[in-house]
Amino acid sequence: MNPLIRKLEGFGPLSDQDRAILTSVSASGHLIGPRVDLIREGDAPDGVILIMEGIACRQKHRANGARQITAYLVPGDACDLDVALLSRMDHTITTLSACRVVRVPLDVVKRLMEEHPAIARSLRMSTLVDEATLREWLVNVGCRSAIERIAHLFCELLLRLQVVGFASEDTYEFPVTQLDLADTVGLSNVHVNRSLQELRRQGVIELKGRTLRILDRQRLKSIAEFDAKYLHLGTRAAA
Amino acid sequence: MTLKLQPVQIATGSNDRESRLVFEDGRLVAVLVQLSSEHDSHAGHWFLEAGFGRVEDPHAPIFADLREAQAWIARQLADVDPSY
């Protein structure tokens, strides 16, 4: 099922007509390879980017080449509903893995918001959750140890991907390189590698190629002090 | 500038143990650790576990050997920043 509809329906009921319009809005789209900038810092926004498959990210670069990834966009995630209000992007959006990407024209977004109140409400909820997630990531890099940061991210992704049907009870595709992961959690590649090895040694995760399996969910949650409330999943937060 | 290296074992919580304390004129400026086989292509290379003062750099490179690491540390220490 369409991840955008799955995600938005989680925030509130949608009518058949709402579902039909969301299906048509997200139907087109392009397959884009990994490490492609979808829009760069300084560019004028030309639509709302919607990720239907794969993982993309928001990132900021320093002049010395260092970068910080500030958000992951997973299937069903649309970025910056109100981006039309900005004249220039203040960050870059890049694919981490191969993605199916839809660019929704600004006038279509405007019509969705004006003519479909249930969709508008869910999209606004989704923006609030994006902000809450950013706060949680800030706490992650500011207050948690290396292993805790990675455990927290793995817990969060399990829930976010389950909601849109891209994770089973304990397994999901994690097509993010170790270097990208390092720039996500603000650690060196060496510290990321050590933490992943430690999580493996403790029998908490299994990472085979790009497939992440969480062997001990309780232990992972406990390492991360993970509390899913910020994702506002309501009854969907079975994990 | 003379750098002195003192072998030490570090409890990093991983198999990376073999380390060197790096002193400049008797003052500790860096801690280097040799990466274990868990780091695949970087195994045997040296990582800046900690750098103090001008040697602090969260994006320091990984060094093929101690000579390369010392050269980098010496450059950091010699790099006079007028804002200091």
Side-chain angles (χ1 to χ4, degrees), chain B residues 1-8 19-32 46 50 52 55 66-67 69-71 73-74 77:
Chain B
M1 178 193 314
T2 323
L3 294 179
K4 280 196 177 146
L5 269 59
Q6 180 184 325
V8 62
S19 304
R20 298 287 183 278
L21 301 181
V22 184
F23 295 91
E24 183 210 20
D25 299 333
R27 284 179 300 190
L28 183 65
V29 292
V31 179
L32 294 166
W46 292 82
F52 305 102
V55 185
L66 282 173
R67 208 167 53 91
Q70 287 181 84
I73 291 170
L77 289 168

Side-chain angles (χ1 to χ4, degrees), chain A residues 138-200:
Chain A
L138 191 55
V139 172
N140 224 20
V141 295
C143 299
R144 291 192 182 100
S145 70
I147 197 168
E148 291 167 355
R149 292 181 202 185
I150 290 171
H152 197 278
L153 181 69
F154 286 171
C155 286
E156 177 185 302
L157 285 176
L158 178 66
L159 287 185
R160 286 174 62 188
L161 291 169
Q162 278 175 342
V163 164
V164 289
F166 280 72
S168 72
E169 194 192 351
D170 61 2
T171 303
Y172 55 87
E173 288 304 299
F174 185 65
V176 175
T177 66
Q178 209 162 288
L179 280 173
D180 290 334
L181 183 53
D183 289 339
T184 303
V185 290
L187 295 168
S188 70
N189 195 22
V190 166
H191 283 97
V192 166
N193 195 33
R194 280 183 195 155
S195 302
L196 290 174
Q197 302 282 359
E198 181 59 23
L199 287 169
R200 281 192 180 116

